[in-house]
Amino acid sequence: PNKKQFLKEAYRILKPGGKLIIADGFLIGKYENQNKIYKKFLHLWWEGWVVSDLFSTQSFISLSGKAGFHIVSMRNENKRTAISSFYFFLLSLGGWIIVWPIIFFRIRTSEFLMQTQACFFQWITRQLHLWKYTVVICEKPKKNTAES
C-alpha cells in the first residue's frame, strides 16, 4: 500500500543499471480531482481486488525520480489488455445473476460479491477513461566510474 516505500526499497535492492518493470493500471488524472461517483466506482473495483489505490502517471514519475530512478519507457498498453478487461466485465454480468442466491443461501461470503463488483467496475472505470494499463521500465543509474 505504501508506494513511496516500495519504490525506495526497489531502488535499494537493485544493482546499478538494474531495471524495475511495472505493469499495472495507472490513473489518468489525479484521484483528488475525480467526482464522488467516479471515486466510488474506483473504490468498488479496488476493494474487490484488494488494491489500496493506483498511481497517477504524474505521481509515479515524481516518486520514482525522488527514489533515484530514471524512467526508460512508459507505454500505454490499453489496446493489448482490452480483451481481458472486457472478459472480466462479461464474467461479472454472469456473476450478478448467480451472486445473490449464493449469498442468500450462504454458500459463499460477500467477498464473492466484492469480486463480482470489482470485475464490473474495472471495466466501467476504464470506459470512463479514469485509468489506463501501462508498462513502465525504470532504471537505477549505473555508478559513475569517477566515483569508484
Side-chain angles (χ1 to χ4, degrees):
N2 188 330
K3 294 176 183 340
K4 183 178 180 180
Q5 189 62 37
F6 165 77
L7 287 170
K8 287 170 75 174
E9 181 64 9
Y11 185 86
R12 183 188 71 77
I13 64 173
L14 280 173
K15 294 179 181 180
K19 291 183 174 54
L20 171 67
I21 301 172
I22 298 175
D24 203 357
F26 284 78
L27 292 174
I28 292 173
K30 289 187 177 182
Y31 175 77
E32 297 80 25
N33 295 342
Q34 300 300 331
N35 72 44
K36 288 181 185 180
I37 293 171
Y38 289 179
K39 285 181 181 181
K40 181 67 175 170
F41 288 174
L42 287 167
H43 275 279
L44 288 169
W45 168 34
W46 297 344
E47 288 169 3
W49 283 357
V50 193
V51 174
S52 59
D53 62 0
L54 298 180
F55 273 124
S56 69
T57 49
Q58 299 88 350
S59 67
F60 181 82
I61 291 168
S62 173
L63 287 174
S64 63
K66 288 177 184 174
F69 283 108
H70 166 71
I71 295 179
V72 175
S73 73
M74 186 175 245
R75 290 188 329 263
N76 179 342
E77 295 291 346
N78 260 357
K79 287 182 182 177
R80 290 181 185 229
T81 60
I83 292 173
S84 312
S85 182
F86 186 63
Y87 177 71
F88 279 121
F89 173 73
L90 292 177
L91 284 175
S92 76
L93 296 179
W96 287 115
I97 295 168
I98 61 171
V99 75
W100 294 111
I102 286 174
I103 292 171
F104 179 77
F105 292 112
R106 299 174 197 259
I107 298 169
R108 298 282 304 266
T109 64
S110 64
E111 282 80 20
F112 187 71
L113 172 61
M114 290 176 64
Q115 292 167 358
T116 300
Q117 287 179 160
C119 290
F120 181 82
F121 284 106
Q122 66 79 30
W123 173 257
I124 297 301
T125 55
R126 182 181 174 120
Q127 296 309 110
L128 292 169
H129 303 287
L130 300 180
W131 66 280
K132 60 185 174 185
Y133 195 83
T134 304
V135 175
V136 183
I137 302 174
C138 301
E139 184 176 44
K140 181 175 180 175
K142 295 177 183 171
K143 285 188 176 178
N144 188 340
T145 53
E147 294 176 4
S148 321

